[in-house]
């Protein structure tokens, strides 16, 4: 088990870094766009169009990515596997292309519905035109992962990022095309990368296999994918819908400020993304080991302590990191910590999903996300008129916490896992309180960078002391965690993950 953990960690580094490239590109573009765009409203409109595009991908994908993985590994026949991946590619394009044409015709009403004005119709046309290329990119990346072509996967993501960055910066900065340049740059870069990617996986796609024999398999793919569509849409609501509520209940300028905070908070999302990729296969691979419960417990408490601590750090240091943007984005300092906590909750959700995964019951993942999404909508409608972008951030955090509480409760009934639930909850309470203090300090004092640095150090010191006082983290656990990191980087022996102190501090 120790050797598998080390190997899995190294693979997770490759996939995690490759998948994080797109998030990093957003941070690279942040200081460029916030200075070149005319005002915060322009940045807000760009974010709304981009987020709407993410919703289209979530729905138009039809859950076929998850369904393909299930059927692909259910057979050992190379021809059958090729038929499955060919069906995935063809069905995705058959849905995406007509849907794109339809939505382009409706781009005016869509602009009016999402921003309150039809003057952004041209921007939505370009954003909608991205759909088939984004879907194709999703298919190509998925096929590379199914074939365990890690280096090709990494190269594809790097190529996509370089193309989008270079094209967008040239159009926005060089030609002064502002929001239209940003969207056109994304469209051109994604189109080139998607077509090149399709050539890369050409050996896994054979259109000649789409005979009458493929119809039952296509129906099975749709059957498996259908339940994942509402779950994907609910995840989009949890992650992005706040921006639309801010635009309609406040203004597109406020949306720009809010989304700058979200972009900075997504720094934590890079680490969460890598953890998510590593955790799902690893947690299932050790399920039959006698000490699996101890490993789950240890990972749960350490992940919670580190991720919530990172959110506290971002919340305290928000005025410093906001030096990346213009001064009129300074109010984003009040929401960065709250949005970072929402990011941290995503990893917790996947940790608690392990019980249902072992029991092969994925239904709770769907309905808990849907319930949380409904709560998010209601909270946005109630809190944004009262507290503005801070209300939107609170709505996001509350809904995400609701989802992990629901999943934890249901999963423990399906397949009990010995998580240290009370101490994990204690970490969340301490971290949330620290982030709230940071937000109040940043909005009332508006500290200088030097003052903000000193305040952040004191805040982090208080957080760490609280963790040790409640027994959530011990020196022994920290040393084991660091040993695991060194092992993953190839700088030391594998961390001992069995026995010892997985349940340290449990009463």
């Amino acid at each position: 088990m120790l050797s598998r953990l080390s190997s899995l960690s190294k693979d997770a580094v490759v996939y995690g870094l490759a998948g994080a490239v797109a998030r990093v590109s957003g941070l690279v573009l942040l200081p460029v766009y916030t200075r070149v765009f005319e005002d915060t409203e322009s940045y807000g409109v760009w974010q709304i169009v981009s987020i709407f595009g993410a919703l289209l991908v979530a729905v138009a994908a039809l859950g076929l990515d998850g369904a393909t993985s299930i059927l692909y590994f259910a057979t050992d026949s190379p021809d059958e596997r090729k038929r499955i991946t060919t069906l995935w590619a063809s069905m995705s394009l058959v849905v995406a292309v007509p849907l794109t044409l339809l939505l382009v015709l409706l781009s005016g009403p869509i602009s009016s519905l999402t921003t309150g004005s039809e003057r952004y119709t041209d921007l939505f046309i370009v954003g909608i035109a991205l759909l088939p290329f984004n879907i194709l990119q999703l298919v190509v990346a998925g096929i590379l992962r199914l074939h365990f072509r890690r280096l090709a996967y990494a190269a594809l993501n790097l190529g996509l990022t370089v193309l989008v960055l270079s094209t967008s910066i040239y159009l926005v900065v060089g030609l002064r095309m502002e929001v239209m340049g940003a969207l056109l740059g994304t469209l051109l870069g994604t189109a080139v990368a998607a077509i090149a990617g399709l050539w890369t996986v050409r050996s896994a796609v054979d259109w000649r296999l789409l005979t009458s024999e493929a119809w039952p398999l296509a129906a099975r793919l749709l059957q498996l994918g259908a339940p994942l569509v509402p779950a994907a849409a609910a995840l989009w609501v949890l992650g992005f819908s706040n921006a639309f509520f801010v635009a309609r209940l406040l203004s597109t300028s406020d949306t720009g400020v809010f989304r700058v905070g979200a972009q900075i908070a997504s720094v934590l999302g890079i680490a969460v993304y890598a953890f998510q990729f590593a955790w799902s296969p690893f947690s299932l691979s050790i399920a039959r080991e006698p000490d699996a419960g101890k490993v789950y417990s240890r990972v749960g408490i350490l992940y919670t302590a580190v991720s919530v601590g990172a959110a506290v750090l971002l919340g305290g240091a928000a005025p410093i990191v906001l030096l990346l943007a213009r001064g009129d984005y300074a109010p984003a300092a009040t929401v960065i910590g709250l949005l970072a906590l929402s990011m941290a909750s995503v990893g917790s959700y996947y940790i608690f999903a392990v019980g249902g995964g072992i029991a092969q019951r994925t239904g709770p993942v769907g309905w808990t996300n849907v319930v949380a999404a409904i709560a998010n909508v209601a909270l946005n409608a109630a809190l944004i008129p009262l507290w503005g972008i801070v209300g939107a951030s609170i709505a996001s955090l509350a809904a995400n916490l609701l989802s992990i509480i629901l999943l934890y409760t249901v999963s423990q009934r399906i397949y009990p896992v010995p998580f240290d639930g009370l101490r994990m909850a204690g970490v969340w309470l301490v971290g949330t309180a620290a982030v709230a203090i940071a937000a109040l300090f940043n909005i009332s004092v508006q500290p200088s960078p030097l003052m903000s640095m000193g305040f952040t150090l004191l805040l982090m010191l208080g957080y760490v002391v609280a963790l040790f006082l409640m027994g959530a983290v011990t020196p022994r656990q920290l040393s084991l965690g660091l040993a695991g990191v060194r092992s993953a980087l190839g700088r030391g022996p594998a961390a001992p993950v069995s026995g010892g102190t997985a349940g340290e501090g449990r009463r």
Side-chain angles (χ1 to χ4, degrees):
M1 182 174 67
L2 302 183
S3 62
R4 288 203 307 271
L5 174 60
S6 179
S7 175
L8 178 63
S9 299
K10 292 175 181 177
D11 287 347
V13 169
V14 175
Y15 283 125
L17 290 178
V21 166
R23 295 177 183 267
V24 173
S25 68
L27 295 177
V28 172
L29 291 173
L30 177 63
V32 177
Y33 287 175
T34 54
R35 284 172 169 79
V36 175
F37 286 175
E38 182 179 355
D39 49 31
T40 57
E41 180 178 358
S42 298
Y43 191 89
V45 171
W46 173 61
Q47 285 287 306
I48 289 173
V49 175
S50 300
I51 292 170
F52 180 74
L55 172 62
L56 296 183
V57 173
V59 175
L62 298 181
L64 294 179
D65 48 346
T68 297
S69 298
I70 294 172
L71 294 183
Y72 186 89
F73 289 111
T75 178
D76 294 323
S77 169
D79 289 340
E80 189 71 357
R81 287 185 168 185
K82 183 177 290 189
R83 195 191 305 275
I84 291 170
T85 51
T86 302
L87 278 169
W88 183 15
S90 58
M91 292 167 66
S92 296
L93 291 176
V94 164
V95 171
V97 173
L99 180 60
T100 299
L101 296 175
L102 174 63
L103 292 175
V104 165
L105 295 176
L106 298 173
S107 55
I110 291 173
S111 175
S112 179
L113 179 66
T114 55
T115 68
S117 172
E118 290 196 6
R119 60 191 174 116
Y120 304 117
T121 298
D122 291 345
L123 300 179
F124 275 92
I125 290 175
V126 177
I128 292 168
L130 262 168
L131 176 59
F133 300 108
N134 277 332
I135 290 291
L136 185 57
Q137 181 77 9
L138 177 66
V139 172
V140 169
I143 291 176
L144 290 175
R145 289 182 60 201
L146 291 175
H147 286 247
F148 298 102
R149 296 175 60 183
R150 293 182 291 273
L151 293 181
Y153 179 91
L156 177 67
N157 278 272
L158 179 60
L160 171 64
T161 301
V162 170
L163 283 170
V164 170
L165 278 177
S166 57
T167 308
S168 299
I169 291 175
Y170 172 72
L171 294 177
V172 172
V173 179
L175 300 184
R176 308 298 295 184
M177 295 180 65
E178 295 220 355
V179 179
M180 180 59 78
L183 292 171
L184 282 175
T186 304
L187 174 60
L188 294 174
T190 305
V192 172
I195 294 171
L198 186 59
W199 181 85
T200 303
V201 299
R202 64 192 183 282
S203 61
V205 178
D206 187 349
W207 310 111
R208 295 172 299 179
L209 295 175
L210 299 180
T211 63
S212 58
E213 298 177 0
W215 291 115
L217 189 57
R220 181 58 176 158
L221 279 169
L222 291 173
Q223 181 184 21
L224 288 172
L228 300 178
V229 176
L235 286 173
W236 178 90
V237 171
L238 286 171
F240 298 115
S241 67
N242 309 68
F244 289 93
F245 280 96
V246 172
R248 295 310 304 269
L249 297 177
L250 299 176
S251 69
T252 49
S253 294
D254 290 307
T255 304
V257 174
F258 177 78
R259 286 302 300 171
V260 163
Q263 287 288 90
I264 293 174
S266 70
V267 171
L268 180 55
I270 296 173
V272 173
Y273 184 92
F275 173 80
Q276 172 188 334
F277 264 55
W279 172 252
S280 295
F282 169 69
S283 60
L284 295 176
S285 70
I286 68 169
R288 294 187 180 90
E289 298 289 340
D291 60 345
K294 293 181 178 180
V295 176
Y296 297 152
S297 178
R298 179 180 300 157
V299 171
I301 193 68
L302 288 178
Y303 169 84
T304 303
V306 172
S307 62
V308 172
V312 173
L313 178 62
L314 281 171
I320 299 175
V321 294
L322 275 172
L323 294 175
L324 292 170
R326 288 199 316 254
D328 46 352
Y329 290 92
T334 60
V335 303
I336 290 174
L338 293 169
L339 294 174
L341 283 175
S342 294
M343 286 282 182
S345 70
V346 174
S348 296
Y349 189 89
Y350 280 95
I351 289 175
F352 293 149
V354 64
I358 295 172
Q360 297 185 7
R361 292 179 59 181
T362 58
V365 173
W367 73 259
T368 54
N369 275 323
V370 170
V371 171
I374 294 172
N376 189 41
V377 170
L379 288 171
N380 273 309
L383 299 181
I384 290 176
L386 294 176
W387 298 325
I389 61 174
V390 174
S393 304
I394 294 174
S396 177
L397 175 59
N400 276 283
L401 290 178
L402 175 62
S403 71
I404 63 176
I405 292 171
L406 288 174
L407 186 64
Y408 175 83
T409 303
V410 175
S411 295
Q412 289 296 84
R413 294 176 180 175
I414 295 175
Y415 190 97
V417 176
F419 290 119
D420 195 346
L422 288 178
R423 284 191 173 82
M424 292 172 75
V427 173
W428 273 102
L429 288 174
V430 170
T432 303
V435 166
I437 292 171
L440 290 173
F441 178 80
N442 290 331
I443 195 172
S444 59
V445 177
Q446 298 182 3
S448 65
L450 184 60
M451 182 185 297
S452 181
M453 188 178 302
F455 171 77
T456 302
L457 289 175
L458 288 175
L459 195 68
M460 289 302 300
L461 177 61
Y463 174 76
V464 172
V465 169
L467 293 189
F468 280 100
L469 288 177
M470 73 174 66
V473 178
T474 67
R476 168 69 172 163
Q477 289 175 328
L478 286 178
S479 66
L480 290 173
L482 292 174
V485 172
R486 288 195 298 269
S487 173
L489 296 175
R491 297 180 180 177
V497 295
S498 59
T501 60
E504 266 185 19
R506 288 176 64 86
R507 297 289 186 265

